[in-house]
């Protein structure tokens, strides 16, 4: 025990001497002896502390406290230790300090107790976090036992609670910001939603409101208390907003209680007052406490809601008592402030409204005031915003606020009833009906529905609703409206009487009452107007007129009265000026005055003031009066849309006019003139199909309504005819024009349109190849022109059309002999100085004298020349008729230039080589096109044709012209094609190819571009490609393109001559034959192509037309030879005679064939003119003549001609066969012997010649020469295996072998031998019908006959070369009745079908 004391003293001495190691050593020794020694643990903790060994020191101190917990020494050591360590052990420091202070309290040592607490709190403030400082401050709260001991020595609880609330406020703010920043980055997160979630979480777990309440409870400072009451309300309000809807009820009651408390205390906290006022669910504004409103204005004069309150309280519609505003002057006296003017009041309320964007009450007050001012658009806008705000307030507060919502809906519905009525009536009615479902007696809703029903002309129902409203709140406006409904329902007497009863009650001097009085007087006037509709009664100025005047005296701005006065002045007083002024005034005051607007529009339209018509109509449309509300019985008003359509049509704004007329027709589907206007708009915008439907609908209405209602209806027929013309349906268009002319005979527009349509129809028929129809159209056009010229001679389009109809004859030259010379001559010389036709006579030498000379019967000019001269004179007259119109003048010069170029082409066509062709017409054409360009230099077509006509005269000018045309319009395929032709004629192949390619890309259907490419290919020697290009060009071209027809026909002929297999296919000959026939109709001077046409006709079997064509050709060539005596013409004449002989032979005209063959031989007898063509001509003539003489039984001459042919062909086997057949037919033994010798020599030289072998076989059978038959049979069997035989040769071989099998069956029976030959034919040629037919004939089986038909059908045209006779024979072989009929139909001149049909 003494050792312990000694060690403790040593430890104490070491501590005093600052020998901390010795102190630790001595204290440790003591603790080894006595581990629970209090002083040893304290000394050890202190030593460790001095050595900086904090953990060991803390452990020693705690060991000491565990030994003696009520001794303060160890606790003080811990406090000192923790203070040295800063904020790291602040939580432990707090527990130690509280325990130490408690020990001092138990020791009744207040000073030391307070010191410990003060030091700890100050240390926590400096070194700890806000949370630790908050926990330290909680030591000072009344809930702690130390508070009662140290009361008066420590801060007041209100201060402590205030500090705590500040800390919590800061913590919550930082937590909210941090969480929002963290969560907003999540996928799909929305800032508003995240903010609401975070605030909800933070506010629901917050103690801040409790702290605020403690501050309020403990503080003695009134200002502090009010400040924290504001904070408490604000926090409670924010919490309420953040809470879910189902949890809001209790919190809402708390917020309301807090707000009401502040209001009762008259504390000027805006949120409290707004909650108190805004959250009162009142049906009417007068339910609010007037005192509160005035106090709000006093407390918050600059607040937006306060400004609205101030304006409203001083307004005319306020039901609250008005207080006199007073101010103190410099002497302290209170003076009254003058009341605000209406303008100032409205400005004040508007400013306040703009400053209160979230206040439902402010919106509600502004809406009611706007309704009072009849600013219905503004009222509707404010009410719509209030609807959204009311919904937001209800959602945030969790309170439905039904009365507030209904009040807002009433404002909106009332505004919609009047604003752009009846556009929004359906919406207004749904609002009112929703309110009446909850409140059946709501007077404003009843009045609103009554007004809507009145607008929909359901006057009885409207009166019922108005009467119900009057029963709830008697109102003079409602009473007057109910009386007016009775009048509108037809009871004018009762309505007038009740309106008269209302007058004494509307004598107040305010503007609103005056407006009501004006309305009542006006309606009384209308009742009088309708009670007696006689002219005298309406003209009486003491009746309705007087009421209208009185109405305006009551309210000079009452628009309906002006409308009625305007009607009075227009219809009865006959004062148009006053009427117009009245209508203008009415419409200026109100765009809803539709009657006044219509009268104004009609007046402006009558004077051509279309801009004013548009303004009036547009304003009426925007008024909302034109379209009835959905479900309304009231008819819409269509005339404003129709008027807009007319104006837009005149302004060429066709898309808008279409919309306007469509809108008019939706309202009035039977508006005839709107259908016509719609059709015209569609037509002008290029929508011709839609235009057709519109005009057809208009014509249906004509039949329904009749001319008595509509008046003249010819315009729709005229416009429909115009549409048909644009669609290319010229027959329908012409019919329509004729119908109109039957009603309006001398209507120039219709007559000229009919004339132009006839000419356009002629051009269309020309392009389609209907040449007869084209000429017929020109004749009909001539009759129209003859009628038109009698009363309108100076029309440009008249003479242009006359020129065009004359030009048609120059294109269809086969009809030129029918050109009406006399009619055209009379037409041209009607009412004109003939010297005017001398225009350009210096260039083209064409004048009236020239034309008259060409019409002389003994003149040298052809009818074609006369038609061209007439066309030029007509175009010259067109120039003189349009000198006043620059554009038409330019077009007229262009037309004349085109016609001059056309006569040049016709002259050149009669002299294809160009020798002696005059250039005067070409030069005149150049002059015309230059003149046209001077007048209109931006026309690409003018430059294009200048390039065409100068290509021959000046290539540089031509190239410049084409380039200029393309600069103006580079999308014109014709110009690119012309440029390509120009380059082609100049020898630049590459540029020509580029130009033609560009033309093809611009317009792939432009045939001339394909023709140009074909000419290029032909020039480069690519005949196959050229033929394909010519073929495509012909397929896509029209019937008037002669050069395409020439190129296509000539290339096809060359191809046929080079491909014998194709030349026998009739289908491949039809299209080129069609082209040549069209060419012949268009040009009578193309003799070479007439010759080609006859060759195609011969190949397709049209021998009669071939002979006719060749006869005409021979006559033309003979006349040409007599003029030129050219050897070339003579050769062509001889060739034509030879071809004519061949055609006549084919049609069995043997005498003519023989004669023409002899002529051809005589003409080609000059051996000095040797050529391949001559040899072919003579060969054809020899063969044709030989066969012709043969059929005429002139055997000797026939043999002589064949021998000559044989000599000239040096033993051609085909000619030997013909000669042998003639010799055999002559019948003499010597001739037959010669025939055998010729055939044997030929087969020796030409082994495998089918015809020779067949003839030898036939002769051997006829001679019964078994050896020769056997030899020939072997050759025939070998021949039938060849692939190059034609179906006809296969058939001949099969027939001969079958005959041999019958006559020389050999070891087999005759039937078996025949069947063997037939089956052999089937095996070798299964695709041909002959073998199958033989098997069917021998076996009487159906299937071989059916196979024969199938093979014949497949091998027939266009897939094969079998003839109709072959197919007919195959059908007849089935022995079926229907097939027999088919056989007769296919070849009625053959006996197959008839024989089979007779056997059934």
């Amino acid at each position: 025990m003494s050792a312990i004391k000694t060690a403790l003293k040593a430890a104490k001495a070491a501590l005093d001497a600052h020998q901390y190691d010795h102190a630790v050593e001595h204290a440790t020794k003591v603790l080894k002896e006595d581990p629970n020694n209090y002083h040893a643990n304290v000394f050890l903790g202190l030593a460790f502390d001095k050595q900086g060994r904090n953990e060991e020191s803390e452990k020693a101190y705690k060991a000491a406290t565990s030994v003696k917990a009520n001794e303060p020494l160890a606790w003080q050591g811990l406090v000192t230790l923790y203070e040295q360590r800063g904020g790291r052990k602040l939580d432990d420091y707090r527990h130690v300090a509280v325990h130490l202070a408690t020990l001092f309290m138990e020791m009744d040592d207040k000073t030391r107790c307070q010191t410990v607490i003060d030091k700890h709190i100050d240390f926590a403030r400096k070194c700890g976090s806000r949370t630790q400082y908050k926990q330290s401050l909680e030591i000072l709260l009344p809930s702690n036992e130390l508070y009662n001991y140290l009361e008066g020595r420590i801060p007041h609880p209100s201060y402590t609670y205030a500090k705590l609330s500040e800390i919590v406020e800061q913590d919550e703010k930082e937590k909210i910001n941090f969480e929002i920043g963290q969560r907003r980055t999540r996928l799909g997160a929305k800032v508003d939603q995240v903010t609401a979630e975070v605030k909800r979480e933070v506010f629901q777990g917050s103690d801040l409101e409790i702290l605020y309440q403690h501050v309020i409870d403990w503080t003695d400072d009134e200002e502090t208390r009010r400040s924290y009451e504001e904070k408490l309300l604000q926090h409670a309000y924010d919490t309420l907003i953040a809470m879910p809807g189902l949890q809001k009820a209790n919190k809402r009651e708390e917020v309301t209680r807090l707000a009401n408390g502040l209001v009762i205390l008259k504390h000027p906290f805006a949120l409290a007052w707004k909650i108190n006022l805004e959250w009162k669910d009142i049906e009417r504004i007068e339910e609010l406490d007037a005192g509160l409103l005035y106090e709000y204005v006093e407390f918050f004069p600059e607040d937006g809601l306060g400004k609205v309150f101030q304006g409203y309280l001083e307004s005319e519609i306020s039901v609250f008592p008005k207080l006199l505003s007073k101010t103190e002057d410099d002497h302290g006296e209170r003076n009254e402030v003058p009341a605000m003017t209406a303008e100032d009041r409205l400005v004040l309320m508007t400013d306040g409204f703009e400053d209160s964007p979230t206040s439902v009450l402010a919106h509600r007050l502004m809406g009611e005031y706007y309704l009072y001012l009849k600013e219905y658009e503004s009222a509707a806008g404010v009410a719509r915003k209030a609807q959204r705000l009311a919904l937001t307030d209800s959602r945030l507060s969790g309170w439905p606020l039904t009365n507030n919502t209904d009040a807002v809906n009433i404002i909106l519905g009332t505004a919609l009833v009047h604003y752009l009525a009846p556009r929004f009536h359906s919406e207004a009615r749904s609002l009112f009906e929703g309110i009446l479902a909850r409140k059946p007696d709501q007077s404003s809703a009843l009045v609103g529905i009554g007004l809507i029903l009145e607008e929909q002309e359901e006057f009885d129902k409207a009166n019922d609703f108005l009467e119900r409203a009057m029963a709830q709140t008697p109102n003079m406006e409602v009473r007057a409206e109910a009386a007016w409904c009775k009048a509108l329902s037809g009871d004018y007497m009762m309505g007038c009487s009740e309106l008269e009863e209302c007058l004494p009650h509307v004598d107040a001097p305010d503007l609103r009452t005056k407006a009501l009085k004006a309305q009542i007087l006006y309606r009384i006037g209308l009742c009088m107007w309708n009670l007696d509709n006689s002219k005298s009664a309406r003209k009486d100025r003491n009746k309705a007129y007087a009421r209208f005047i009185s109405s305006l005296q009551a309210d000079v701005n009452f628009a309906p009265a002006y409308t009625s006065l305007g009607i009075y002045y227009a219809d009865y007083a006959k004062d148009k000026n006053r009427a117009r002024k009245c209508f203008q005034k009415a419409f200026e005051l109100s765009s809803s005055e539709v009657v006044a607007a219509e009268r104004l529009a009609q007046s402006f339209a009558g004077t051509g003031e279309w801009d004013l018509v548009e303004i009036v109509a547009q304003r009426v449309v925007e008024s909302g009066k034109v379209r009835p509300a959905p479900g309304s019985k009231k008819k819409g008003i269509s005339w404003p849309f129709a008027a807009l359509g007319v104006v837009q049509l005149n302004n060429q704004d066709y898309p808008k006019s279409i919309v306007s007329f469509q809108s008019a027709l939706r309202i009035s589907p039977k508006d005839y003139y709107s259908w016509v206007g719609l059709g015209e708009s569609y037509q002008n915008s290029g929508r011709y199909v839609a235009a057709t439907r519109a005009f057809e609908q208009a014509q249906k209405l004509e039949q329904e309504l009749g001319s008595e209602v509509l008046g003249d209806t010819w315009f729709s027929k005229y416009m429909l005819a115009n549409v048909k013309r644009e669609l290319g349906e010229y027959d329908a268009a012409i019919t329509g024009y004729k119908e109109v002319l039957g009603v309006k005979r001398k209507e120039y527009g219709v007559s000229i349109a009919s004339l132009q349509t006839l000419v356009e129809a002629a051009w269309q028929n020309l392009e389609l190849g209907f040449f007869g129809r084209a000429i017929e159209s020109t004749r009909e056009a001539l009759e129209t022109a003859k009628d038109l010229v009698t009363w309108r001679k100076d029309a440009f389009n008249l003479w242009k059309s006359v020129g065009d109809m004359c030009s048609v004859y120059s294109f269809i030259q086969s009809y030129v002999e029918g050109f009406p010379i006399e009619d055209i001559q009379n037409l041209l010389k009607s009412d004109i100085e003939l010297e005017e036709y001398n225009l350009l006579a210096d260039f083209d030498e064409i004048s009236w004298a020239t034309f008259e000379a060409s019409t002389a019967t003994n003149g040298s000019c052809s009818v074609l020349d006369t038609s061209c001269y007439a066309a030029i004179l007509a175009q010259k007259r067109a120039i003189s008729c349009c000198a006043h119109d620059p554009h038409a003048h330019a077009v007229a010069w262009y037309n004349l230039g085109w016609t001059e170029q056309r006569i040049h082409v016709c002259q050149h066509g009669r002299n294809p080589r160009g020798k002696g062709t005059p250039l005067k017409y070409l030069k005149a054409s150049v002059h015309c096109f230059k003149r046209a360009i001077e007048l209109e230099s931006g026309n690409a077509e003018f430059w294009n044709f200048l390039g065409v006509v100068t290509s021959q005269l000046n290539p540089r000018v031509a190239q410049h012209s084409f380039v200029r045309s393309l600069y103006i319009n580079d999308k014109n395929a014709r110009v690119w094609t012309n440029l390509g032709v120009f380059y082609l004629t100049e020898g630049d192949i590459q540029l020509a190819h580029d130009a033609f390619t560009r033309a093809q890309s611009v317009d792939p259907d432009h045939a001339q571009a394909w023709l140009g490419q074909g000419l290029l290919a032909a020039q480069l020697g690519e005949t196959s490609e050229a033929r394909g290009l010519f073929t495509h060009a012909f397929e896509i071209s029209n019937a008037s393109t002669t050069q395409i027809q020439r190129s296509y026909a000539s290339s096809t002929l060359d191809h046929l001559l080079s491909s014998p297999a194709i030349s026998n296919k009739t289908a491949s000959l039809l299209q080129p034959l069609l082209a040549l026939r069209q060419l012949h109709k268009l040009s009578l001077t193309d003799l070479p192509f007439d010759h080609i046409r006859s060759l195609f006709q011969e190949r397709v079997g049209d021998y009669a037309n071939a002979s006719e064509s060749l006869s005409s050709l021979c006559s033309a060539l003979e006349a040409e030879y007599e003029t030129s005596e050219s050897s070339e013409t003579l050769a062509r004449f001889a060739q034509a005679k030879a071809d004519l002989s061949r055609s006549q032979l084919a049609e069995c005209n043997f005498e003519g064939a023989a004669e023409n063959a002899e002529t051809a031989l005589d003409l080609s007898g000059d051996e000095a003119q040797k050529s391949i063509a001559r040899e072919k001509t003579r060969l054809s003539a020899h063969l044709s003549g030989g066969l012709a003489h043969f059929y005429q039984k002139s055997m000797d001459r026939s043999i002589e001609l064949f021998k000559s042919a044989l000599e000239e062909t040096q033993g051609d086997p085909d000619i030997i066969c013909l000669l042998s057949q003639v010799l055999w037919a002559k019948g003499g033994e010597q001739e037959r012997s010669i025939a055998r010798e010729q055939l044997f020599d030929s087969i020796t030289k030409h082994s495998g010649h089918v015809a020779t072998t067949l003839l030898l076989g036939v002769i051997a059978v006829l001679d019964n020469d078994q050896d020769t038959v056997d030899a020939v049979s072997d050759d025939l069997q070998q021949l039938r295996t060849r692939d190059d035989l034609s179906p006809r040769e296969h058939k001949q071989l099969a027939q001969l072998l079958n005959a041999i099998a019958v006559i020389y069956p050999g070891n087999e029976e005759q039937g078996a031998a025949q069947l063997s030959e037939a089956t052999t034919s089937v095996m070798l040629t299964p695709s041909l019908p002959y073998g199958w037919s033989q098997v069917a004939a021998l076996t009487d089986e159906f299937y071989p006959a059916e196979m024969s038909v199938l093979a014949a059908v497949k091998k027939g045209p266009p897939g094969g070369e079998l003839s109709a006779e072959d197919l007919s024979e195959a059908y007849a072989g089935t022995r079926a009745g229907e097939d027999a009929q088919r056989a007769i139909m296919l070849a009625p001149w053959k006996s197959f079908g008839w024989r089979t049909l007779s056997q059934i």
Side-chain angles (χ1 to χ4, degrees), residues 503 514 517-522 541-556 558 561 565:
L503 274 179
K514 286 183 177 181
K517 182 177 181 180
Q519 183 186 62
I520 294 173
L521 287 168
Y522 163 73
R541 292 185 173 237
N542 295 320
K543 292 187 177 180
Y545 174 82
R547 297 302 187 278
F548 298 147
I549 294 296
S550 299
S551 174
L552 292 177
Q553 290 172 347
D555 184 2
V556 73
F558 190 67
L565 283 175

Side-chain angles (χ1 to χ4, degrees), residues 1174-1317:
R1174 174 182 174 276
E1175 293 175 2
K1176 290 182 177 180
T1177 299
R1178 291 186 62 78
L1179 177 60
S1180 176
H1182 278 117
L1183 295 177
S1184 299
L1187 290 172
H1189 284 295
F1190 169 76
Y1191 286 114
Q1192 285 182 312
K1193 308 302 181 182
S1194 300
M1195 298 300 180
D1196 294 336
R1197 181 57 182 162
S1198 175
I1199 292 171
E1200 181 181 349
L1201 291 172
F1202 283 129
K1203 285 182 177 181
S1204 298
L1206 192 60
E1207 292 174 359
E1208 292 187 6
T1209 59
Q1210 299 177 357
D1212 186 273
D1214 290 322
I1215 297 177
I1216 291 174
C1217 289
L1218 288 174
L1219 178 59
S1220 299
Q1221 287 174 330
V1222 173
L1223 289 172
W1224 188 272
K1226 189 173 181 181
E1229 186 59 34
Q1230 182 180 1
E1231 288 81 0
R1232 293 185 176 183
S1233 177
I1234 294 172
R1236 293 190 191 94
E1237 292 175 2
Q1238 291 287 341
L1239 290 172
F1240 279 116
D1241 290 342
S1242 177
I1243 201 65
T1244 302
K1245 296 177 181 178
H1246 305 283
S1247 176
H1249 190 262
V1250 178
T1252 304
T1253 306
L1254 284 170
L1255 280 175
L1256 283 174
V1258 171
I1259 290 174
V1261 171
L1262 293 175
D1263 290 343
N1264 197 17
D1265 186 349
Q1266 179 73 42
D1267 295 334
T1268 304
V1269 168
D1270 292 339
V1272 170
S1273 296
D1274 294 337
D1275 292 339
L1276 293 174
Q1277 293 292 349
Q1278 293 178 359
L1279 286 175
R1280 73 193 304 187
T1281 61
R1282 283 167 50 178
D1283 295 332
D1284 58 344
L1285 298 183
S1286 66
R1288 183 171 178 273
E1289 290 173 333
H1290 275 293
K1291 181 179 181 180
Q1292 291 174 342
L1293 287 170
Q1295 288 174 340
L1296 180 56
L1297 287 170
N1298 184 59
I1300 292 173
V1302 173
I1303 299 174
Y1304 305 103
N1307 297 327
E1308 298 177 317
E1309 296 182 358
Q1310 186 180 35
Q1314 285 182 281
L1315 185 60
S1316 176
E1317 288 296 333

Side-chain angles (χ1 to χ4, degrees), residues 734 738 754-755 758-759 761-763 765 771-787 801-802 804-806 808-809 812 814-821 823-824 827:
I734 292 167
K738 287 181 178 178
S754 177
L755 175 61
L758 287 166
V759 175
W763 288 117
N765 288 322
F771 304 127
R773 292 184 186 179
I775 295 300
E776 191 63 33
S777 294
T778 59
R779 290 171 181 165
E780 193 172 349
L782 177 60
E783 296 300 321
T784 304
K786 286 164 61 177
D787 175 68
S801 300
V802 172
D804 287 346
M805 73 175 74
C806 294
V808 169
Y809 283 92
I812 314 175
S814 58
Y815 288 89
V816 76
E817 294 299 328
F819 180 70
I821 296 175
D823 291 336
I824 294 295
L827 195 64

Side-chain angles (χ1 to χ4, degrees), residues 129-268:
S129 64
R130 278 198 300 271
T131 302
Q132 292 171 330
Y133 182 47
K134 172 178 173 289
Q135 292 171 347
S136 299
L137 286 175
E138 289 174 353
I139 299 173
L140 303 178
L141 296 178
S143 58
N144 194 296
E145 60 181 348
L146 292 174
Y147 173 79
N148 293 327
Y149 179 69
L150 297 176
E151 185 176 7
R153 290 176 171 267
I154 57 177
H156 193 271
S158 62
Y159 173 81
T160 306
Y161 280 120
K163 284 291 184 181
L164 288 173
S165 65
E166 291 175 4
I167 294 172
V168 174
E169 285 174 2
Q170 190 67 22
D171 286 343
E172 287 186 359
K173 182 178 179 180
E174 290 182 359
K175 184 176 182 181
I176 289 172
N177 292 336
F178 176 77
E179 290 295 331
I180 291 174
Q182 289 289 321
R183 300 185 188 184
R184 68 182 297 179
T185 59
R186 295 175 182 175
L187 187 64
K190 297 180 181 179
V191 176
D192 295 341
Q193 183 178 356
V194 168
T195 302
E197 291 176 356
V198 171
K199 285 185 176 182
R200 184 182 308 122
E201 294 173 3
V202 173
F203 289 160
Q204 286 184 340
S206 174
D207 295 331
L208 195 55
E209 293 181 24
I210 298 174
L211 295 174
Y212 288 152
Q213 188 62 51
H214 283 309
V215 174
I216 295 168
D217 293 342
W218 282 96
T219 186
D220 296 327
D221 184 53
E222 196 66 26
E223 184 177 350
T224 302
R225 181 178 290 108
R226 298 292 172 262
S227 174
Y228 276 88
E229 285 176 348
E230 291 178 5
K231 289 186 177 183
L232 177 60
L233 175 59
Q234 185 68 56
H235 193 277
Y237 178 75
D238 293 340
T239 305
L240 173 65
I241 292 174
M243 292 177 69
L246 299 177
Q247 303 174 12
K248 288 179 180 288
N250 294 333
K251 196 66 176 178
R252 184 180 62 250
E253 292 179 2
E254 179 185 348
V255 170
T256 305
R257 175 181 58 77
L258 293 172
N260 292 340
L262 288 173
V263 171
I264 292 171
L265 295 173
K266 302 293 188 291
H267 180 64

Side-chain angles (χ1 to χ4, degrees), residues 30 61 90 129 137 256 292 308 312 409 416 473 488 554 591 750 809 832 894 1008 1021 1060 1086 1130 1249 1286 1379:
V30 173
Y61 281 138
L90 188 59
S129 64
L137 286 175
T256 305
L292 289 178
V308 175
Y312 180 81
N409 288 338
L416 294 179
T473 54
L488 291 176
S591 60
V750 182
Y809 283 92
I832 188 175
Y894 167 79
Q1008 282 78 2
D1086 278 337
L1130 183 62
H1249 190 262
S1286 66
D1379 287 340

Side-chain angles (χ1 to χ4, degrees), residues 1030-1202:
F1030 291 144
T1031 302
H1032 182 68
F1034 176 74
E1035 289 173 348
I1036 65 175
S1037 68
N1038 56 54
S1040 63
T1041 51
T1042 55
Q1043 185 56 48
I1044 293 177
Q1045 294 160 348
R1046 294 188 185 102
S1047 300
Y1048 171 61
S1050 59
S1051 64
T1052 304
L1053 179 63
D1054 293 339
H1055 179 59
L1056 294 176
L1057 293 176
S1058 63
S1059 304
I1062 299 176
S1063 65
N1064 295 326
K1065 294 183 178 180
T1066 303
S1068 62
L1069 306 176
L1070 296 178
Q1071 198 166 359
L1073 179 58
L1074 172 63
L1076 289 166
R1077 284 180 175 175
Q1078 290 177 344
L1079 179 61
H1080 176 68
K1081 293 286 186 182
L1082 296 172
S1083 177
L1084 298 176
T1085 58
D1086 278 337
L1087 298 182
F1089 288 94
D1090 285 344
H1091 196 167
I1092 295 174
R1093 176 169 56 88
S1094 66
L1095 297 178
F1096 275 99
Q1097 289 172 333
E1098 181 185 357
R1099 283 178 178 267
V1100 299
D1102 189 4
Y1103 303 116
N1105 283 326
S1107 298
E1108 182 180 353
S1109 299
L1110 288 168
S1111 297
S1112 301
L1113 178 62
C1114 289
S1115 300
L1117 290 173
E1118 185 177 5
E1120 182 180 339
Y1121 178 73
E1122 290 176 355
T1123 303
S1124 63
E1125 296 185 356
S1126 168
S1127 59
E1128 182 182 352
T1129 304
L1130 183 62
R1132 289 166 57 199
F1133 182 43
Q1135 185 180 3
K1137 281 291 185 180
D1139 292 340
L1140 176 59
S1141 173
R1142 190 172 60 253
S1143 295
Q1144 289 175 332
L1145 176 65
E1147 61 176 341
C1148 300
N1149 184 2
F1150 305 123
E1151 184 178 355
E1155 180 183 351
N1156 286 304
E1158 295 291 351
T1159 303
L1161 290 171
D1162 292 340
L1163 294 173
S1164 59
D1166 187 1
E1167 295 184 1
Q1169 302 290 335
K1170 289 186 177 181
S1171 65
I1172 297 176
R1174 174 182 174 276
E1175 293 175 2
K1176 290 182 177 180
T1177 299
R1178 291 186 62 78
L1179 177 60
S1180 176
H1182 278 117
L1183 295 177
S1184 299
L1187 290 172
H1189 284 295
F1190 169 76
Y1191 286 114
Q1192 285 182 312
K1193 308 302 181 182
S1194 300
M1195 298 300 180
D1196 294 336
R1197 181 57 182 162
S1198 175
I1199 292 171
E1200 181 181 349
L1201 291 172
F1202 283 129

